[in-house]
Amino acid sequence: MGSGNFELIFDRVGHFGRYQIFLYCACAFQNISCGIHYLASVFMTVLPKYTCRPPGNVSQILFHNISLWRINNIWTLFPTGREDYIVVQLQNGEVWELTRCYRFRRDNNSSLNYDYNGHKTGFPCLDGFIYDKSKWDNTVVTQWDLVCNREWFARLIQPTFMFGVLLGALAFGYLSDRVGRRPVLWSTSIGMYLFGIAAAFTSNYYSFMFARFLLAIVASGYVMVVFVYVTEFIGMKARTWASIQVHSFFAIGTMLVALTGYLVRTWWIYQIILSTVTLPFILCFWMLPETPFWLLSEGRYKEAQTIVDMMAKWNRASTCELSELLSLDLYGPVGDNSSEVKKSNLLDLFYNWNIGIRTLIIWLVWFTGCLGFYTFSLNSVNLGGNEYLNLFLMGAVEIPAYVFVCLAMDTVGRRNVLMFSLISSALFCGVIMVIPKGYYIWSVVATMAGKFSIGSAFGLIYLYTAELYPTMIRTQALGSGSMVCRVGSIIAPFCVYLSSVWIFMPQLLIGILAFVSGMLTLKLPETLGKPLTTTWKEAAELDVEKDSSSGKLFPTANNTDGGKNTSDFFRGFWS
């Protein structure tokens, strides 16, 4: 049974009627929760100003030539970028020098002066630390003192989460093909709520990390399966826009993180509030059916017929008999060859020299897109100005980016849009680096432009990858690209930490990778207006056509057929 005649179902019952709109809105709304959890650690792991706690009650404080009575009043004067110390006098008369990670007791207590050349004894911060609470009352860092020699514990929070994302994509992608889309969506949504709440009530760092790790696995599983779920319910006339705009709801999650972080300054309350976004979907999930595509692939025709009848009723269309409709193509050619599918493996992505080069370029684009996507978001809080507004804008700019992709890819071609997006991202990284330090508004604007560009590339690479490979290896091409993508997301937090070496180091790395990726994209063939390839010979001919038309930058109007390409892509994605 070919996948092509599945599309005839939507010709009868509607491509994007009221039934599909309801399912789409419900599932896309849940994607907001995924966007929330992916970036929630931005504010949970905030590192405020801090200093070593003295071993007693303080009677007087001295910072340079300024004398204070309360240590909380010192933070506006305390430097962020360089090491300095505070001199305090305890009620027992002892004088101590407090730095970030050590404290020193002066042997001479006769006078309270900031400068001291006498003998002093150093001690570790056994009594804990004092934190600046002007912005956040409590964070994960201040809860468990993840500073000084424990600072690397805080830096592992986001990479560990992204490693869970990698495992979740592998596990639930497999399970959705075995047990169905609906059970996976249900289990991952319940898991997101439970593990999200559990993370807020953890009593130590290790249990927090474990809860977040499980949260990452289920959130990643939902992101992967919901993409397939909504596209299996939507006809090809609306599938391109609907599937790409699912990512827009992920962006709304980023915006909610910024808004919640601004309103709530205690990390565990912040975590609970963000986790409750999952509840509306859980309450209405019982109304969501299994997809007819999966049921038909499992031979459960009666259940599939029931869902198609319901779809037709909601859409006020005439129903169709699947037994008659699907028999129309029983004797027609089938694009997929099952024997070839069974024999294919990852090494087939290097079928010959040209295909191998194509694979390496595509992997580099996947890696660069994901690395840049998360680096721009995570680094937004370091741009200056209002960090909450910065992150909100980083999420908001993704929505027009996805609209741009939908409009441009069927007009000027996939390769041209991808190249333009990557090169533009590299240029904006360069612009960020030359903006003077005090002009943080211009830095935010340039960073938004860079996020727009890299977001466009990241949103397009899914479709473009599927169109570059033949049917028998298409799923593995997408899977391998997704694996490389997750590696980029794991590395992204460490890329942000490089700003401590040089403030523009993240932009320099992203800019170089984006420029190289953009230039190498020119070596890829254009797929706009071409049917999906089913054999290696057809895939190789894409390069031949690219060489013969290398003088044309943009495709002409009479050689485009974007709707066919995108619908074929999604059929290949779940085949």
Side-chain angles (χ1 to χ4, degrees):
M1 183 188 302
S3 62
N5 44 7
F6 285 174
E7 292 298 330
L8 297 175
I9 298 174
F10 300 112
D11 290 337
R12 300 286 185 89
V13 302
H15 287 256
F16 197 52
R18 291 192 303 171
Y19 189 76
Q20 289 103 318
I21 291 174
F22 168 74
L23 296 181
Y24 180 82
C25 291
C27 294
F29 179 85
Q30 176 67 345
N31 212 35
I32 295 175
S33 295
C34 300
I36 284 173
H37 293 304
Y38 273 50
L39 288 171
S41 67
V42 170
F43 297 123
M44 280 196 296
T45 58
V46 168
L47 178 61
K49 297 176 183 178
Y50 65 95
T51 190
C52 210
R53 183 180 296 275
N57 295 324
V58 177
S59 61
Q60 191 173 357
I61 304 166
L62 187 65
F63 184 71
H64 291 286
N65 59 346
I66 301 174
S67 180
L68 300 168
W69 298 102
R70 289 171 53 86
I71 200 166
N72 290 333
N73 298 330
I74 205 73
W75 300 120
T76 56
L77 306 173
F78 205 63
T80 302
R82 75 175 189 275
E83 186 70 24
D84 215 329
Y85 63 92
I86 302 171
V87 178
V88 298
Q89 187 174 42
L90 305 184
Q91 291 180 354
N92 61 7
E94 292 182 347
V95 178
W96 289 75
E97 293 180 10
L98 308 178
T99 65
R100 285 188 175 89
C101 299
Y102 293 95
R103 55 188 180 179
F104 301 89
R105 185 182 62 198
R106 293 180 179 179
D107 291 350
N108 186 357
N109 300 329
S110 59
S111 62
L112 182 63
N113 297 314
Y114 190 79
D115 296 320
Y116 176 76
N117 296 322
H119 184 266
K120 52 189 176 183
T121 305
F123 298 90
C125 299
L126 298 178
D127 296 295
F129 301 85
I130 301 175
Y131 297 98
D132 177 14
K133 296 186 177 181
S134 60
K135 286 189 175 182
W136 275 77
D137 295 330
N138 183 258
T139 70
V140 171
V141 172
T142 63
Q143 179 85 16
W144 295 302
D145 290 334
L146 306 181
V147 294
C148 298
N149 61 342
R150 288 171 53 86
E151 185 176 351
W152 67 276
F153 283 98
R155 295 190 172 186
L156 283 177
I157 290 175
Q158 187 66 13
T160 303
F161 183 91
M162 288 303 179
F163 182 66
V165 169
L166 170 62
L167 296 182
L170 293 173
F172 286 103
Y174 173 82
L175 286 175
S176 70
D177 288 335
R178 295 295 176 268
V179 301
R181 311 339 183 181
R182 188 175 185 271
V184 170
L185 293 182
W186 178 81
S187 60
T188 53
S189 298
I190 295 292
M192 270 194 283
Y193 178 73
L194 294 179
F195 296 136
I197 297 295
F201 288 99
T202 50
S203 59
N204 57 67
Y205 169 81
Y206 297 103
S207 59
F208 170 79
M209 289 288 282
F210 183 66
R212 286 267 301 170
F213 182 72
L214 295 177
L215 176 61
I217 291 176
V218 295
S220 174
Y222 184 88
V223 169
M224 168 165 271
V225 177
V226 76
F227 184 81
V228 178
Y229 184 85
V230 297
T231 53
E232 287 184 347
F233 265 109
I234 298 173
M236 69 178 186
K237 292 181 180 179
R239 190 174 292 148
T240 304
W241 274 79
S243 59
I244 291 181
Q245 292 307 320
V246 167
H247 300 301
S248 296
F249 289 84
F250 190 94
I252 294 173
T254 303
M255 297 160 66
L256 285 178
V257 167
L259 180 62
T260 308
Y262 175 76
L263 297 174
V264 181
R265 305 300 176 92
T266 301
W267 78 266
W268 60 271
I269 300 177
Y270 162 88
Q271 174 68 23
I272 291 174
I273 292 174
L274 292 178
S275 299
T276 57
V277 177
T278 305
L279 275 178
F281 180 78
I282 294 176
L283 295 177
C284 72
F285 178 80
W286 60 272
M287 302 177 65
L288 273 59
E290 184 57 80
T291 69
F293 281 68
W294 186 83
L295 292 172
L296 289 171
S297 69
E298 295 293 308
R300 295 159 64 175
Y301 301 109
K302 290 184 178 180
E303 295 175 59
Q305 182 66 60
T306 301
I307 295 171
V308 170
D309 292 342
M310 185 185 302
M311 195 184 310
K313 183 178 179 180
W314 274 57
N315 294 346
R316 296 176 181 175
S318 58
T319 188
C320 59
E321 291 295 330
L322 295 181
S323 58
E324 298 177 5
L325 195 65
L326 299 181
S327 65
L328 295 175
D329 199 40
L330 285 176
Y331 304 101
V334 180
D336 294 346
N337 187 314
S338 59
S339 62
E340 288 183 302
V341 173
K342 293 178 182 178
K343 293 179 181 178
S344 63
N345 57 62
L346 194 63
L347 293 178
D348 288 334
L349 294 174
F350 300 89
Y351 175 78
N352 59 31
W353 176 260
N354 288 334
I355 297 295
I357 294 297
R358 182 186 303 179
T359 297
L360 292 177
I361 294 174
I362 285 295
W363 282 357
L364 179 61
V365 174
W366 275 93
F367 177 82
T368 302
C370 193
L371 180 65
F373 184 89
Y374 285 105
T375 299
F376 276 120
S377 296
L378 295 172
N379 196 48
S380 62
V381 296
N382 301 323
L383 297 175
N386 190 312
E387 58 265 40
Y388 306 102
L389 179 61
N390 293 349
L391 183 62
F392 183 89
L393 294 175
M394 291 305 111
V397 78
E398 291 179 41
I399 298 175
Y402 299 134
V403 174
F404 164 75
V405 168
C406 291
L407 293 174
M409 70 178 183
D410 288 336
T411 305
V412 299
R414 280 72 157 139
R415 181 186 63 182
N416 295 323
V417 174
L418 185 61
M419 177 196 67
F420 173 79
S421 299
L422 290 169
I423 297 296
S424 298
S425 179
L427 292 176
F428 287 123
C429 284
V431 171
I432 295 170
M433 294 169 63
V434 300
I435 295 176
K437 186 176 182 180
Y439 295 82
Y440 65 85
I441 294 179
W442 291 107
S443 296
V444 172
V445 172
T447 303
M448 287 178 63
K451 180 67 180 295
F452 178 96
S453 300
I454 206 72
S456 300
F458 193 47
L460 178 59
I461 191 60
Y462 286 87
L463 170 64
Y464 192 38
T465 299
E467 294 179 343
L468 287 173
Y469 292 91
T471 302
M472 78 283 295
I473 198 67
R474 187 171 297 124
T475 301
Q476 295 201 44
L478 283 165
S480 66
S482 181
M483 288 280 290
V484 175
C485 167
R486 302 308 172 194
V487 173
S489 66
I490 293 172
I491 295 176
F494 296 108
C495 185
V496 174
Y497 298 146
L498 289 177
S499 59
S500 61
V501 178
W502 183 44
I503 190 172
F504 294 123
M505 186 64 77
Q507 289 83 0
L508 178 63
L509 292 177
I510 299 301
I512 292 173
L513 284 171
F515 181 79
V516 172
S517 301
M519 296 305 295
L520 289 176
T521 300
L522 291 173
K523 295 183 66 64
L524 298 175
E526 180 55 70
T527 58
L528 177 61
K530 300 180 178 65
L532 277 187
T533 59
T534 58
T535 65
W536 283 115
K537 181 181 178 181
E538 293 173 355
E541 287 175 353
L542 291 175
D543 286 304
V544 176
E545 295 177 18
K546 176 201 71 174
D547 295 335
S548 63
S549 60
S550 58
K552 295 171 62 177
L553 179 60
F554 300 107
T556 57
N558 56 5
N559 78 331
T560 60
D561 187 17
K564 185 178 190 303
N565 262 350
T566 38
S567 67
D568 285 345
F569 152 61
F570 292 115
R571 288 200 297 269
F573 184 83
W574 61 64
S575 295

